[in-house]
Amino acid sequence: MAKIDHKINLPEIFTKNNLAILPISRGEYIIAHMEAYQPFQTLDHTITKVSLPDHIQSLDVARISSEAIAINCALASGILADFLEDEDLIATVSGRMGSGTFAFGIQNTTNDAVNRITVTNAQIEIDAAFEGIHRLSIIEAKMDLAEDFLIRQLYYPYRIWHSRISKPVHPIFFVYSNGICHLYEYQFQNPAYYNSLELIKHKRYSFEDTSIQLSEIQEIAANTQTVTEPPIPFPQADSFERLISLCEILNIHTLTCEEISEEYAFDLRQADYYTNAARYLGLVDKCCSDDLPSLFYLTAKGKKIINSNYKQRHLAFCTAILQHEVFKKVFTHYMDFGISPTIQEIVKLMQGSHLYNLKSENTYKRRSSTVIAWVTWMIKLTQS
């Protein structure tokens, strides 16, 4: 209950009062006005293509189903050697361990004060660590995209090993989602200050060909037949990458909205928005029961898309989007004029597209942001 990896998952009473929770021993926690989370930043939009060695048969980049397998693929393909700038990496510490004793300052969320906290033998977990000639890199790995992360996941392991070895310790955040490995290297400028981390490097890698031509998406727009609008709420889910991440999650197991909210970087409202957006595109459906919450699962269409290779998957997602009239018209306008239509123009297009249960002007305006975001996402696919 006390493991809250993203700010959006904090209980409402925490959010309203600028509170966070951190472990200070085995079974003890502190709740206080603390700035415990850090937003992800993007420094590099390019994607470096890599591949596994030909002799490796026990790893399959089409079946990366856990953080451990993703890290092993990153090691075998040379991603870690490239990112960490070290060819002689040795896997060392991992798993659960005690934190020992250390003290630190953390930023207060209500004023400029710094809270002082002492940790004594709290339990931590390290997903992987690799030591080279000159440094130790400690990795925290995730399989879903999020807007932020809990700094503790990097800071507590950093403090342990910073005090135990003479080499520099480099905290690394590793995210594998939608066929892309995202690596973030941080540095704590002041080891005794929780909020002193700074992003010093960020790179993205793929095991597959990620090159998509604008002409390929234009061809889809020209040749895809428009479908009848479904009796499902029009999408209010601006991040298409997070919609894909949701599909990857549901490819592993069926979940309720509550479980999606509890286990991943969605609050309950976002879980509802993104599951409905995936249903709108025919990627997800739900089974209902009078006594139990609805369970969401990937449709046959969703499974076929999510289990295809990078290029096929993304062009199929483009097809699913462009089957809907308003998205096709906005994309076509962008191609014809080089800019997106205005919000007012998009609202007019939406009003003429027989959308399900949209009535007020304000609702049209709010949902227009998703139209802009999804069309922009398709165009950016050609710029990676």
Side-chain angles (χ1 to χ4, degrees):
M1 187 176 70
K3 182 180 181 295
I4 304 171
D5 289 346
H6 308 284
K7 185 178 285 190
I8 200 166
N9 298 131
L10 287 168
E12 185 178 356
I13 194 169
F14 279 49
T15 303
K16 284 183 176 179
N17 293 281
N18 294 312
L19 296 169
I21 183 169
L22 291 174
I24 55 174
S25 71
R26 288 180 185 266
E28 288 187 297
Y29 299 82
I30 183 168
I31 297 172
H33 299 110
M34 302 180 290
E35 190 58 75
Y37 298 88
Q38 175 83 359
F40 280 113
Q41 301 166 265
T42 299
L43 299 182
D44 191 346
H45 289 279
T46 61
I47 299 175
T48 301
K49 171 74 167 61
V50 297
S51 59
L52 292 174
D54 292 339
H55 67 277
I56 297 296
Q57 298 181 9
S58 57
L59 292 174
D60 183 352
V61 296
R63 291 179 173 83
I64 298 177
S65 57
S66 69
E67 289 92 349
I69 293 174
I71 291 171
N72 288 341
C73 286
L75 178 65
S77 64
I79 289 175
L80 294 181
D82 178 77
F83 187 77
L84 302 177
E85 300 177 9
D86 196 331
E87 297 289 339
D88 299 311
L89 296 172
I90 302 297
T92 57
V93 293
S94 64
R96 294 181 178 179
M97 61 192 72
S99 68
T101 300
F102 60 88
F104 63 92
I106 184 170
Q107 183 62 50
N108 190 298
T109 51
T110 60
N111 54 44
D112 292 332
V114 174
N115 301 333
R116 302 299 304 176
I117 294 174
T118 299
V119 174
T120 303
N121 202 32
Q123 182 173 281
I124 69 161
E125 185 165 3
I126 294 176
D127 291 326
F130 295 92
E131 188 169 347
I133 301 298
H134 301 294
R135 66 180 187 173
L136 172 68
S137 297
I138 296 176
I139 295 178
E140 173 67 23
K142 297 291 183 187
M143 291 286 286
D144 62 308
L145 292 174
E147 295 178 359
D148 61 19
F149 63 93
L150 180 61
I151 299 171
R152 175 185 64 77
Q153 295 172 313
L154 296 179
Y155 185 69
Y156 281 24
Y158 165 79
R159 283 299 303 268
I160 293 172
W161 291 99
H162 176 73
S163 66
R164 291 184 183 177
I165 65 174
S166 58
K167 293 179 182 178
V169 177
H170 289 240
I172 310 292
F173 214 105
F174 177 103
V175 180
Y176 180 77
S177 179
N178 191 25
I180 304 295
C181 296
H182 307 253
L183 280 88
Y184 304 82
E185 181 177 349
Y186 291 91
Q187 189 172 61
F188 286 97
Q189 302 298 328
N190 177 356
Y193 185 43
Y194 182 96
N195 303 102
S196 67
L197 80 169
E198 178 183 347
L199 179 62
I200 59 175
K201 186 195 289 188
H202 165 233
K203 290 186 74 172
R204 302 194 300 170
Y205 301 84
S206 175
F207 303 108
E208 303 175 66
D209 179 16
T210 60
S211 60
I212 294 174
Q213 304 302 314
L214 187 58
S215 59
E216 293 175 296
I217 302 177
Q218 288 176 302
E219 185 177 352
I220 290 171
N223 297 324
T224 297
Q225 192 165 9
T226 301
V227 298
T228 302
E229 284 295 304
I232 295 169
F234 189 81
Q236 188 172 347
D238 290 357
S239 172
F240 202 84
E241 286 189 340
R242 297 206 66 204
L243 189 149
I244 297 173
S245 186
L246 173 65
C247 290
E248 290 180 319
I249 292 164
L250 294 178
N251 191 37
I252 300 171
H253 42 216
T254 60
L255 295 169
T256 66
C257 270
E258 289 79 6
E259 289 169 334
I260 293 167
S261 176
E262 288 170 4
E263 296 183 38
Y264 301 97
F266 295 90
D267 64 16
L268 197 55
R269 183 178 61 178
Q270 282 185 330
D272 181 58
Y273 288 161
Y274 277 86
T275 51
N276 276 330
R279 288 176 63 223
Y280 174 84
L281 295 177
L283 307 172
V284 166
D285 207 345
K286 64 180 179 179
C287 50
C288 303
S289 168
D290 292 337
D291 302 323
L292 298 171
S294 297
L295 271 175
F296 292 89
Y297 61 92
L298 277 191
T299 61
K301 174 182 177 179
K303 281 189 174 292
K304 181 179 179 181
I305 292 175
I306 211 69
N307 290 303
S308 57
N309 67 41
Y310 182 94
K311 185 166 185 174
Q312 291 173 334
R313 182 189 320 145
H314 285 75
L315 291 178
F317 281 131
C318 291
T319 301
I321 295 170
L322 292 168
Q323 285 176 330
H324 294 270
E325 182 179 0
V326 65
F327 290 96
K328 181 184 288 191
K329 286 183 175 178
V330 172
F331 176 80
T332 302
H333 182 286
Y334 204 116
M335 293 299 97
D336 290 344
F337 299 100
I339 57 171
S340 174
T342 64
I343 291 176
Q344 290 75 18
E345 289 171 327
I346 293 174
V347 166
K348 285 184 179 179
L349 291 173
M350 293 172 71
Q351 289 171 335
S353 298
H354 309 291
L355 305 180
Y356 174 72
N357 204 29
L358 281 191
K359 297 175 182 177
S360 73
E361 185 82 9
N362 285 336
T363 304
Y364 276 106
K365 286 182 179 178
R366 285 198 304 272
R367 304 299 169 91
S368 70
S369 67
T370 295
V371 179
I372 295 170
W374 288 12
V375 170
T376 302
W377 174 81
M378 288 191 290
I379 292 166
K380 283 186 176 179
L381 290 176
T382 68
Q383 300 167 358
S384 298

